[in-house]
PDB file of all heavy atoms in Angstrom:
ATOM      1  N   LYS M 266      10.538  -6.046  -3.933  1.00 86.00           N
ATOM      2  CA  LYS M 266      10.618  -7.290  -3.138  1.00 86.00           C
ATOM      3  C   LYS M 266       9.324  -7.965  -2.924  1.00 86.00           C
ATOM      4  O   LYS M 266       9.291  -9.154  -2.545  1.00 86.00           O
ATOM      5  CB  LYS M 266      11.202  -6.908  -1.755  1.00 86.00           C
ATOM      6  CG  LYS M 266      12.655  -6.331  -1.798  1.00 86.00           C
ATOM      7  CD  LYS M 266      13.072  -6.001  -0.406  1.00 86.00           C
ATOM      8  CE  LYS M 266      14.490  -5.397  -0.409  1.00 86.00           C
ATOM      9  NZ  LYS M 266      14.959  -5.062   0.925  1.00 86.00           N
ATOM     10  N   LEU M 267       8.219  -7.285  -3.255  1.00 89.00           N
ATOM     11  CA  LEU M 267       6.891  -7.862  -3.009  1.00 89.00           C
ATOM     12  C   LEU M 267       6.375  -8.588  -4.249  1.00 89.00           C
ATOM     13  O   LEU M 267       6.673  -8.195  -5.363  1.00 89.00           O
ATOM     14  CB  LEU M 267       5.900  -6.765  -2.658  1.00 89.00           C
ATOM     15  CG  LEU M 267       6.179  -5.987  -1.324  1.00 89.00           C
ATOM     16  CD1 LEU M 267       5.152  -4.884  -1.151  1.00 89.00           C
ATOM     17  CD2 LEU M 267       6.143  -6.942  -0.147  1.00 89.00           C
ATOM     18  N   SER M 268       5.673  -9.727  -4.032  1.00 89.00           N
ATOM     19  CA  SER M 268       5.034 -10.472  -5.077  1.00 89.00           C
ATOM     20  C   SER M 268       3.646  -9.844  -5.228  1.00 89.00           C
ATOM     21  O   SER M 268       3.353  -8.786  -4.808  1.00 89.00           O
ATOM     22  CB  SER M 268       4.987 -11.991  -4.696  1.00 89.00           C
ATOM     23  OG  SER M 268       4.172 -12.128  -3.624  1.00 89.00           O
ATOM     24  N   ASP M 269       2.783 -10.619  -5.948  1.00 93.00           N
ATOM     25  CA  ASP M 269       1.449 -10.063  -6.141  1.00 93.00           C
ATOM     26  C   ASP M 269       0.527 -10.174  -4.942  1.00 93.00           C
ATOM     27  O   ASP M 269      -0.562  -9.624  -4.864  1.00 93.00           O
ATOM     28  CB  ASP M 269       0.788 -10.775  -7.349  1.00 93.00           C
ATOM     29  CG  ASP M 269       0.651 -12.315  -7.137  1.00 93.00           C
ATOM     30  OD1 ASP M 269       1.356 -12.824  -6.292  1.00 93.00           O
ATOM     31  OD2 ASP M 269      -0.161 -12.889  -7.850  1.00 93.00           O
ATOM     32  N   GLN M 270       0.992 -10.934  -3.918  1.00 94.00           N
ATOM     33  CA  GLN M 270       0.210 -11.142  -2.701  1.00 94.00           C
ATOM     34  C   GLN M 270       1.016 -10.759  -1.487  1.00 94.00           C
ATOM     35  O   GLN M 270       2.265 -10.894  -1.449  1.00 94.00           O
ATOM     36  CB  GLN M 270      -0.262 -12.584  -2.586  1.00 94.00           C
ATOM     37  CG  GLN M 270      -1.188 -13.081  -3.674  1.00 94.00           C
ATOM     38  CD  GLN M 270      -1.665 -14.479  -3.372  1.00 94.00           C
ATOM     39  OE1 GLN M 270      -2.406 -14.724  -2.423  1.00 94.00           O
ATOM     40  NE2 GLN M 270      -1.187 -15.403  -4.202  1.00 94.00           N
ATOM     41  N   LEU M 271       0.291 -10.303  -0.441  1.00 95.00           N
ATOM     42  CA  LEU M 271       0.953  -9.966   0.801  1.00 95.00           C
ATOM     43  C   LEU M 271       0.015 -10.345   1.990  1.00 95.00           C
ATOM     44  O   LEU M 271      -1.173 -10.126   1.909  1.00 95.00           O
ATOM     45  CB  LEU M 271       1.231  -8.469   0.891  1.00 95.00           C
ATOM     46  CG  LEU M 271       1.903  -7.878   2.265  1.00 95.00           C
ATOM     47  CD1 LEU M 271       3.278  -8.456   2.346  1.00 95.00           C
ATOM     48  CD2 LEU M 271       1.886  -6.363   2.198  1.00 95.00           C
ATOM     49  N   LEU M 272       0.576 -10.927   3.012  1.00 95.00           N
ATOM     50  CA  LEU M 272      -0.158 -11.265   4.223  1.00 95.00           C
ATOM     51  C   LEU M 272       0.235 -10.243   5.294  1.00 95.00           C
ATOM     52  O   LEU M 272       1.429 -10.067   5.543  1.00 95.00           O
ATOM     53  CB  LEU M 272       0.140 -12.691   4.634  1.00 95.00           C
ATOM     54  CG  LEU M 272      -0.465 -13.151   5.954  1.00 95.00           C
ATOM     55  CD1 LEU M 272      -2.000 -13.217   5.929  1.00 95.00           C
ATOM     56  CD2 LEU M 272       0.091 -14.485   6.405  1.00 95.00           C
ATOM     57  N   VAL M 273      -0.731  -9.614   5.897  1.00 96.00           N
ATOM     58  CA  VAL M 273      -0.434  -8.697   7.031  1.00 96.00           C
ATOM     59  C   VAL M 273      -1.043  -9.273   8.247  1.00 96.00           C
ATOM     60  O   VAL M 273      -2.220  -9.423   8.357  1.00 96.00           O
ATOM     61  CB  VAL M 273      -1.017  -7.290   6.748  1.00 96.00           C
ATOM     62  CG1 VAL M 273      -0.641  -6.305   7.794  1.00 96.00           C
ATOM     63  CG2 VAL M 273      -0.533  -6.758   5.374  1.00 96.00           C
ATOM     64  N   ASP M 274      -0.147  -9.518   9.251  1.00 93.00           N
ATOM     65  CA  ASP M 274      -0.692 -10.039  10.568  1.00 93.00           C
ATOM     66  C   ASP M 274      -1.036  -8.927  11.488  1.00 93.00           C
ATOM     67  O   ASP M 274      -0.195  -8.184  11.906  1.00 93.00           O
ATOM     68  CB  ASP M 274       0.404 -10.938  11.130  1.00 93.00           C
ATOM     69  CG  ASP M 274      -0.110 -11.810  12.279  1.00 93.00           C
ATOM     70  OD1 ASP M 274      -1.045 -11.390  12.955  1.00 93.00           O
ATOM     71  OD2 ASP M 274       0.464 -12.904  12.499  1.00 93.00           O
ATOM     72  N   LEU M 275      -2.387  -8.840  11.778  1.00 94.00           N
ATOM     73  CA  LEU M 275      -2.865  -7.779  12.567  1.00 94.00           C
ATOM     74  C   LEU M 275      -3.511  -8.337  13.838  1.00 94.00           C
ATOM     75  O   LEU M 275      -4.230  -7.618  14.555  1.00 94.00           O
ATOM     76  CB  LEU M 275      -3.842  -6.910  11.857  1.00 94.00           C
ATOM     77  CG  LEU M 275      -3.326  -6.189  10.675  1.00 94.00           C
ATOM     78  CD1 LEU M 275      -4.436  -5.663   9.740  1.00 94.00           C
ATOM     79  CD2 LEU M 275      -2.478  -4.948  11.069  1.00 94.00           C
ATOM     80  N   ARG M 276      -3.255  -9.559  14.157  1.00 92.00           N
ATOM     81  CA  ARG M 276      -3.896 -10.236  15.277  1.00 92.00           C
ATOM     82  C   ARG M 276      -3.648  -9.550  16.590  1.00 92.00           C
ATOM     83  O   ARG M 276      -4.420  -9.613  17.566  1.00 92.00           O
ATOM     84  CB  ARG M 276      -3.567 -11.742  15.318  1.00 92.00           C
ATOM     85  CG  ARG M 276      -4.205 -12.546  14.204  1.00 92.00           C
ATOM     86  CD  ARG M 276      -3.697 -13.960  14.235  1.00 92.00           C
ATOM     87  NE  ARG M 276      -2.281 -14.029  13.897  1.00 92.00           N
ATOM     88  CZ  ARG M 276      -1.567 -15.217  13.847  1.00 92.00           C
ATOM     89  NH1 ARG M 276      -2.233 -16.338  14.153  1.00 92.00           N
ATOM     90  NH2 ARG M 276      -0.315 -15.174  13.511  1.00 92.00           N
ATOM     91  N   HIS M 277      -2.482  -8.939  16.756  1.00 89.00           N
ATOM     92  CA  HIS M 277      -2.149  -8.305  18.010  1.00 89.00           C
ATOM     93  C   HIS M 277      -2.506  -6.861  18.085  1.00 89.00           C
ATOM     94  O   HIS M 277      -2.153  -6.165  19.056  1.00 89.00           O
ATOM     95  CB  HIS M 277      -0.623  -8.462  18.190  1.00 89.00           C
ATOM     96  CG  HIS M 277       0.220  -7.876  17.054  1.00 89.00           C
ATOM     97  ND1 HIS M 277       0.072  -8.333  15.768  1.00 89.00           N
ATOM     98  CD2 HIS M 277       1.093  -6.900  17.005  1.00 89.00           C
ATOM     99  CE1 HIS M 277       0.928  -7.658  14.952  1.00 89.00           C
ATOM    100  NE2 HIS M 277       1.517  -6.760  15.711  1.00 89.00           N
ATOM    101  N   LEU M 278      -3.196  -6.343  17.039  1.00 92.00           N
ATOM    102  CA  LEU M 278      -3.553  -4.909  16.945  1.00 92.00           C
ATOM    103  C   LEU M 278      -5.032  -4.695  16.844  1.00 92.00           C
ATOM    104  O   LEU M 278      -5.740  -5.648  16.424  1.00 92.00           O
ATOM    105  CB  LEU M 278      -2.756  -4.261  15.821  1.00 92.00           C
ATOM    106  CG  LEU M 278      -1.192  -4.371  15.930  1.00 92.00           C
ATOM    107  CD1 LEU M 278      -0.565  -3.867  14.615  1.00 92.00           C
ATOM    108  CD2 LEU M 278      -0.747  -3.468  17.109  1.00 92.00           C
ATOM    109  N   ASP M 279      -5.491  -3.448  17.024  1.00 91.00           N
ATOM    110  CA  ASP M 279      -6.909  -3.224  16.987  1.00 91.00           C
ATOM    111  C   ASP M 279      -7.371  -2.759  15.605  1.00 91.00           C
ATOM    112  O   ASP M 279      -6.589  -2.634  14.671  1.00 91.00           O
ATOM    113  CB  ASP M 279      -7.304  -2.205  18.093  1.00 91.00           C
ATOM    114  CG  ASP M 279      -6.705  -0.864  17.820  1.00 91.00           C
ATOM    115  OD1 ASP M 279      -6.145  -0.586  16.750  1.00 91.00           O
ATOM    116  OD2 ASP M 279      -6.758  -0.017  18.786  1.00 91.00           O
ATOM    117  N   GLY M 280      -8.696  -2.549  15.493  1.00 94.00           N
ATOM    118  CA  GLY M 280      -9.275  -2.156  14.183  1.00 94.00           C
ATOM    119  C   GLY M 280      -8.753  -0.864  13.684  1.00 94.00           C
ATOM    120  O   GLY M 280      -8.732  -0.646  12.454  1.00 94.00           O
ATOM    121  N   SER M 281      -8.354   0.068  14.539  1.00 96.00           N
ATOM    122  CA  SER M 281      -7.811   1.387  14.108  1.00 96.00           C
ATOM    123  C   SER M 281      -6.574   1.171  13.241  1.00 96.00           C
ATOM    124  O   SER M 281      -6.355   1.870  12.264  1.00 96.00           O
ATOM    125  CB  SER M 281      -7.578   2.279  15.288  1.00 96.00           C
ATOM    126  OG  SER M 281      -8.786   2.597  15.966  1.00 96.00           O
ATOM    127  N   THR M 282      -5.727   0.218  13.673  1.00 96.00           N
ATOM    128  CA  THR M 282      -4.548  -0.044  12.895  1.00 96.00           C
ATOM    129  C   THR M 282      -4.853  -0.733  11.580  1.00 96.00           C
ATOM    130  O   THR M 282      -4.178  -0.541  10.546  1.00 96.00           O
ATOM    131  CB  THR M 282      -3.587  -0.895  13.730  1.00 96.00           C
ATOM    132  OG1 THR M 282      -3.218  -0.203  14.932  1.00 96.00           O
ATOM    133  CG2 THR M 282      -2.241  -1.135  12.970  1.00 96.00           C
ATOM    134  N   LEU M 283      -5.843  -1.570  11.535  1.00 97.00           N
ATOM    135  CA  LEU M 283      -6.314  -2.134  10.306  1.00 97.00           C
ATOM    136  C   LEU M 283      -6.689  -1.011   9.294  1.00 97.00           C
ATOM    137  O   LEU M 283      -6.332  -1.035   8.144  1.00 97.00           O
ATOM    138  CB  LEU M 283      -7.509  -3.085  10.525  1.00 97.00           C
ATOM    139  CG  LEU M 283      -7.995  -3.829   9.266  1.00 97.00           C
ATOM    140  CD1 LEU M 283      -8.504  -5.195   9.648  1.00 97.00           C
ATOM    141  CD2 LEU M 283      -9.178  -3.033   8.588  1.00 97.00           C
ATOM    142  N   TYR M 284      -7.430  -0.042   9.806  1.00 98.00           N
ATOM    143  CA  TYR M 284      -7.796   1.113   8.942  1.00 98.00           C
ATOM    144  C   TYR M 284      -6.511   1.812   8.390  1.00 98.00           C
ATOM    145  O   TYR M 284      -6.425   2.128   7.221  1.00 98.00           O
ATOM    146  CB  TYR M 284      -8.622   2.103   9.785  1.00 98.00           C
ATOM    147  CG  TYR M 284      -8.894   3.445   9.109  1.00 98.00           C
ATOM    148  CD1 TYR M 284     -10.016   3.597   8.260  1.00 98.00           C
ATOM    149  CD2 TYR M 284      -8.022   4.494   9.258  1.00 98.00           C
ATOM    150  CE1 TYR M 284     -10.213   4.836   7.624  1.00 98.00           C
ATOM    151  CE2 TYR M 284      -8.212   5.733   8.632  1.00 98.00           C
ATOM    152  CZ  TYR M 284      -9.332   5.843   7.824  1.00 98.00           C
ATOM    153  OH  TYR M 284      -9.528   7.090   7.211  1.00 98.00           O
ATOM    154  N   GLN M 285      -5.580   2.051   9.325  1.00 98.00           N
ATOM    155  CA  GLN M 285      -4.363   2.794   8.936  1.00 98.00           C
ATOM    156  C   GLN M 285      -3.558   1.884   7.918  1.00 98.00           C
ATOM    157  O   GLN M 285      -2.927   2.425   6.983  1.00 98.00           O
ATOM    158  CB  GLN M 285      -3.422   2.958  10.208  1.00 98.00           C
ATOM    159  CG  GLN M 285      -4.084   3.837  11.216  1.00 98.00           C
ATOM    160  CD  GLN M 285      -4.148   5.322  10.864  1.00 98.00           C
ATOM    161  OE1 GLN M 285      -3.329   5.806  10.061  1.00 98.00           O
ATOM    162  NE2 GLN M 285      -5.138   6.000  11.299  1.00 98.00           N
ATOM    163  N   CYS M 286      -3.566   0.575   8.096  1.00 98.00           N
ATOM    164  CA  CYS M 286      -2.876  -0.326   7.179  1.00 98.00           C
ATOM    165  C   CYS M 286      -3.492  -0.261   5.742  1.00 98.00           C
ATOM    166  O   CYS M 286      -2.735  -0.080   4.776  1.00 98.00           O
ATOM    167  CB  CYS M 286      -2.915  -1.742   7.691  1.00 98.00           C
ATOM    168  SG  CYS M 286      -2.321  -3.026   6.586  1.00 98.00           S
ATOM    169  N   VAL M 287      -4.743  -0.402   5.698  1.00 98.00           N
ATOM    170  CA  VAL M 287      -5.479  -0.397   4.406  1.00 98.00           C
ATOM    171  C   VAL M 287      -5.314   0.980   3.702  1.00 98.00           C
ATOM    172  O   VAL M 287      -5.029   1.085   2.517  1.00 98.00           O
ATOM    173  CB  VAL M 287      -6.933  -0.725   4.568  1.00 98.00           C
ATOM    174  CG1 VAL M 287      -7.674  -0.590   3.213  1.00 98.00           C
ATOM    175  CG2 VAL M 287      -7.080  -2.161   5.083  1.00 98.00           C
ATOM    176  N   LEU M 288      -5.442   2.041   4.461  1.00 98.00           N
ATOM    177  CA  LEU M 288      -5.254   3.402   3.946  1.00 98.00           C
ATOM    178  C   LEU M 288      -3.904   3.589   3.361  1.00 98.00           C
ATOM    179  O   LEU M 288      -3.704   4.025   2.251  1.00 98.00           O
ATOM    180  CB  LEU M 288      -5.565   4.466   5.014  1.00 98.00           C
ATOM    181  CG  LEU M 288      -5.431   5.913   4.596  1.00 98.00           C
ATOM    182  CD1 LEU M 288      -6.489   6.253   3.528  1.00 98.00           C
ATOM    183  CD2 LEU M 288      -5.666   6.831   5.822  1.00 98.00           C
ATOM    184  N   GLY M 289      -2.872   3.217   4.122  1.00 98.00           N
ATOM    185  CA  GLY M 289      -1.509   3.464   3.750  1.00 98.00           C
ATOM    186  C   GLY M 289      -1.091   2.672   2.592  1.00 98.00           C
ATOM    187  O   GLY M 289      -0.514   3.109   1.599  1.00 98.00           O
ATOM    188  N   LEU M 290      -1.349   1.302   2.585  1.00 98.00           N
ATOM    189  CA  LEU M 290      -1.002   0.484   1.475  1.00 98.00           C
ATOM    190  C   LEU M 290      -1.715   0.857   0.176  1.00 98.00           C
ATOM    191  O   LEU M 290      -1.170   0.745  -0.931  1.00 98.00           O
ATOM    192  CB  LEU M 290      -1.289  -1.031   1.793  1.00 98.00           C
ATOM    193  CG  LEU M 290      -0.446  -1.638   2.936  1.00 98.00           C
ATOM    194  CD1 LEU M 290      -0.943  -3.111   3.153  1.00 98.00           C
ATOM    195  CD2 LEU M 290       1.031  -1.660   2.522  1.00 98.00           C
ATOM    196  N   SER M 291      -2.965   1.348   0.319  1.00 98.00           N
ATOM    197  CA  SER M 291      -3.731   1.779  -0.851  1.00 98.00           C
ATOM    198  C   SER M 291      -3.173   3.076  -1.395  1.00 98.00           C
ATOM    199  O   SER M 291      -3.119   3.254  -2.651  1.00 98.00           O
ATOM    200  CB  SER M 291      -5.202   1.972  -0.441  1.00 98.00           C
ATOM    201  OG  SER M 291      -5.781   0.707  -0.018  1.00 98.00           O
ATOM    202  N   LEU M 292      -2.829   4.047  -0.539  1.00 98.00           N
ATOM    203  CA  LEU M 292      -2.359   5.312  -1.010  1.00 98.00           C
ATOM    204  C   LEU M 292      -0.991   5.221  -1.681  1.00 98.00           C
ATOM    205  O   LEU M 292      -0.586   6.023  -2.537  1.00 98.00           O
ATOM    206  CB  LEU M 292      -2.216   6.308   0.143  1.00 98.00           C
ATOM    207  CG  LEU M 292      -3.509   6.831   0.766  1.00 98.00           C
ATOM    208  CD1 LEU M 292      -3.254   7.705   1.989  1.00 98.00           C
ATOM    209  CD2 LEU M 292      -4.327   7.572  -0.253  1.00 98.00           C
ATOM    210  N   ALA M 293      -0.248   4.186  -1.316  1.00 96.00           N
ATOM    211  CA  ALA M 293       1.190   4.083  -1.715  1.00 96.00           C
ATOM    212  C   ALA M 293       1.398   3.944  -3.238  1.00 96.00           C
ATOM    213  O   ALA M 293       2.508   4.259  -3.691  1.00 96.00           O
ATOM    214  CB  ALA M 293       1.857   2.883  -1.021  1.00 96.00           C
ATOM    215  N   ASP M 294       0.384   3.598  -3.977  1.00 94.00           N
ATOM    216  CA  ASP M 294       0.596   3.473  -5.421  1.00 94.00           C
ATOM    217  C   ASP M 294       0.299   4.757  -6.157  1.00 94.00           C
ATOM    218  O   ASP M 294       0.416   4.822  -7.395  1.00 94.00           O
ATOM    219  CB  ASP M 294      -0.252   2.289  -5.972  1.00 94.00           C
ATOM    220  CG  ASP M 294      -1.791   2.559  -5.911  1.00 94.00           C
ATOM    221  OD1 ASP M 294      -2.141   3.695  -5.557  1.00 94.00           O
ATOM    222  OD2 ASP M 294      -2.494   1.610  -6.274  1.00 94.00           O
ATOM    223  N   TYR M 295      -0.030   5.864  -5.428  1.00 96.00           N
ATOM    224  CA  TYR M 295      -0.170   7.154  -6.118  1.00 96.00           C
ATOM    225  C   TYR M 295       1.139   7.655  -6.666  1.00 96.00           C
ATOM    226  O   TYR M 295       2.163   7.529  -6.045  1.00 96.00           O
ATOM    227  CB  TYR M 295      -0.824   8.165  -5.149  1.00 96.00           C
ATOM    228  CG  TYR M 295      -0.854   9.524  -5.794  1.00 96.00           C
ATOM    229  CD1 TYR M 295      -1.803   9.816  -6.776  1.00 96.00           C
ATOM    230  CD2 TYR M 295       0.040  10.533  -5.493  1.00 96.00           C
ATOM    231  CE1 TYR M 295      -1.906  11.050  -7.422  1.00 96.00           C
ATOM    232  CE2 TYR M 295      -0.044  11.773  -6.113  1.00 96.00           C
ATOM    233  CZ  TYR M 295      -0.959  12.029  -7.079  1.00 96.00           C
ATOM    234  OH  TYR M 295      -0.997  13.234  -7.706  1.00 96.00           O
ATOM    235  N   THR M 296       1.057   8.257  -7.820  1.00 92.00           N
ATOM    236  CA  THR M 296       2.232   8.801  -8.378  1.00 92.00           C
ATOM    237  C   THR M 296       1.911  10.163  -9.004  1.00 92.00           C
ATOM    238  O   THR M 296       0.863  10.271  -9.607  1.00 92.00           O
ATOM    239  CB  THR M 296       2.855   7.895  -9.474  1.00 92.00           C
ATOM    240  OG1 THR M 296       3.923   8.525 -10.105  1.00 92.00           O
ATOM    241  CG2 THR M 296       1.909   7.515 -10.533  1.00 92.00           C
ATOM    242  N   VAL M 297       2.805  11.107  -8.881  1.00 93.00           N
ATOM    243  CA  VAL M 297       2.598  12.403  -9.493  1.00 93.00           C
ATOM    244  C   VAL M 297       3.048  12.392 -10.917  1.00 93.00           C
ATOM    245  O   VAL M 297       2.789  13.344 -11.654  1.00 93.00           O
ATOM    246  CB  VAL M 297       3.390  13.518  -8.736  1.00 93.00           C
ATOM    247  CG1 VAL M 297       2.951  13.682  -7.313  1.00 93.00           C
ATOM    248  CG2 VAL M 297       4.870  13.238  -8.752  1.00 93.00           C
ATOM    249  N   GLY M 298       3.654  11.310 -11.373  1.00 88.00           N
ATOM    250  CA  GLY M 298       4.200  11.217 -12.730  1.00 88.00           C
ATOM    251  C   GLY M 298       3.264  10.738 -13.782  1.00 88.00           C
ATOM    252  O   GLY M 298       3.669  10.058 -14.696  1.00 88.00           O
ATOM    253  N   SER M 299       2.003  11.125 -13.653  1.00 85.00           N
ATOM    254  CA  SER M 299       1.030  10.643 -14.625  1.00 85.00           C
ATOM    255  C   SER M 299       1.223  11.186 -16.027  1.00 85.00           C
ATOM    256  O   SER M 299       0.681  10.667 -16.972  1.00 85.00           O
ATOM    257  CB  SER M 299      -0.408  10.929 -14.137  1.00 85.00           C
ATOM    258  OG  SER M 299      -0.551  12.327 -13.973  1.00 85.00           O
ATOM    259  N   TYR M 300       2.035  12.234 -16.141  1.00 89.00           N
ATOM    260  CA  TYR M 300       2.242  12.835 -17.447  1.00 89.00           C
ATOM    261  C   TYR M 300       3.565  12.316 -18.073  1.00 89.00           C
ATOM    262  O   TYR M 300       3.945  12.790 -19.197  1.00 89.00           O
ATOM    263  CB  TYR M 300       2.228  14.365 -17.335  1.00 89.00           C
ATOM    264  CG  TYR M 300       0.883  14.933 -17.021  1.00 89.00           C
ATOM    265  CD1 TYR M 300       0.446  14.992 -15.717  1.00 89.00           C
ATOM    266  CD2 TYR M 300      -0.020  15.336 -18.079  1.00 89.00           C
ATOM    267  CE1 TYR M 300      -0.839  15.482 -15.456  1.00 89.00           C
ATOM    268  CE2 TYR M 300      -1.202  15.820 -17.797  1.00 89.00           C
ATOM    269  CZ  TYR M 300      -1.649  15.924 -16.450  1.00 89.00           C
ATOM    270  OH  TYR M 300      -2.930  16.429 -16.188  1.00 89.00           O
ATOM    271  N   LYS M 301       4.272  11.494 -17.409  1.00 89.00           N
ATOM    272  CA  LYS M 301       5.517  10.923 -17.921  1.00 89.00           C
ATOM    273  C   LYS M 301       5.276   9.909 -19.002  1.00 89.00           C
ATOM    274  O   LYS M 301       4.303   9.142 -18.890  1.00 89.00           O
ATOM    275  CB  LYS M 301       6.392  10.342 -16.805  1.00 89.00           C
ATOM    276  CG  LYS M 301       6.954  11.362 -15.832  1.00 89.00           C
ATOM    277  CD  LYS M 301       7.855  10.676 -14.838  1.00 89.00           C
ATOM    278  CE  LYS M 301       8.501  11.669 -13.901  1.00 89.00           C
ATOM    279  NZ  LYS M 301       9.446  11.090 -12.987  1.00 89.00           N
ATOM    280  N   THR M 302       6.052   9.924 -20.018  1.00 86.00           N
ATOM    281  CA  THR M 302       5.876   8.956 -21.156  1.00 86.00           C
ATOM    282  C   THR M 302       6.718   7.662 -20.962  1.00 86.00           C
ATOM    283  O   THR M 302       6.529   6.714 -21.620  1.00 86.00           O
ATOM    284  CB  THR M 302       6.242   9.625 -22.508  1.00 86.00           C
ATOM    285  OG1 THR M 302       7.567  10.108 -22.422  1.00 86.00           O
ATOM    286  CG2 THR M 302       5.263  10.793 -22.784  1.00 86.00           C
ATOM    287  N   ASP M 303       7.723   7.765 -20.079  1.00 76.00           N
ATOM    288  CA  ASP M 303       8.593   6.617 -19.874  1.00 76.00           C
ATOM    289  C   ASP M 303       8.710   6.313 -18.347  1.00 76.00           C
ATOM    290  O   ASP M 303       9.352   7.080 -17.615  1.00 76.00           O
ATOM    291  CB  ASP M 303      10.010   6.916 -20.412  1.00 76.00           C
ATOM    292  CG  ASP M 303      10.905   5.713 -20.259  1.00 76.00           C
ATOM    293  OD1 ASP M 303      10.447   4.615 -20.082  1.00 76.00           O
ATOM    294  OD2 ASP M 303      12.127   5.904 -20.354  1.00 76.00           O
ATOM    295  N   THR M 304       8.021   5.324 -17.920  1.00 68.00           N
ATOM    296  CA  THR M 304       8.057   4.984 -16.513  1.00 68.00           C
ATOM    297  C   THR M 304       8.587   3.498 -16.282  1.00 68.00           C
ATOM    298  O   THR M 304       8.225   2.664 -17.117  1.00 68.00           O
ATOM    299  CB  THR M 304       6.660   5.082 -15.849  1.00 68.00           C
ATOM    300  OG1 THR M 304       5.784   4.200 -16.583  1.00 68.00           O
ATOM    301  CG2 THR M 304       6.126   6.466 -15.968  1.00 68.00           C
ATOM    302  N   ASN M 305       9.395   3.292 -15.280  1.00 67.00           N
ATOM    303  CA  ASN M 305       9.901   2.023 -15.030  1.00 67.00           C
ATOM    304  C   ASN M 305       9.403   1.499 -13.669  1.00 67.00           C
ATOM    305  O   ASN M 305      10.077   0.733 -12.964  1.00 67.00           O
ATOM    306  CB  ASN M 305      11.415   2.075 -15.003  1.00 67.00           C
ATOM    307  CG  ASN M 305      11.993   2.435 -16.362  1.00 67.00           C
ATOM    308  OD1 ASN M 305      11.576   1.800 -17.360  1.00 67.00           O
ATOM    309  ND2 ASN M 305      12.869   3.386 -16.436  1.00 67.00           N
ATOM    310  N   ALA M 306       8.251   1.991 -13.224  1.00 65.00           N
ATOM    311  CA  ALA M 306       7.705   1.591 -11.925  1.00 65.00           C
ATOM    312  C   ALA M 306       7.423   0.119 -11.909  1.00 65.00           C
ATOM    313  O   ALA M 306       6.910  -0.417 -12.850  1.00 65.00           O
ATOM    314  CB  ALA M 306       6.454   2.412 -11.654  1.00 65.00           C
TER     315      ALA M 306
END
């Protein structure tokens, strides 16, 4: 559902949540399937 860009509104939250947001969104592209030859991700 996501395009190449995303806007995250953090104006109502503190810097700790910004850290959590960046950490989580960044970790989400990890995959254990690096040895698969056919991926449809």
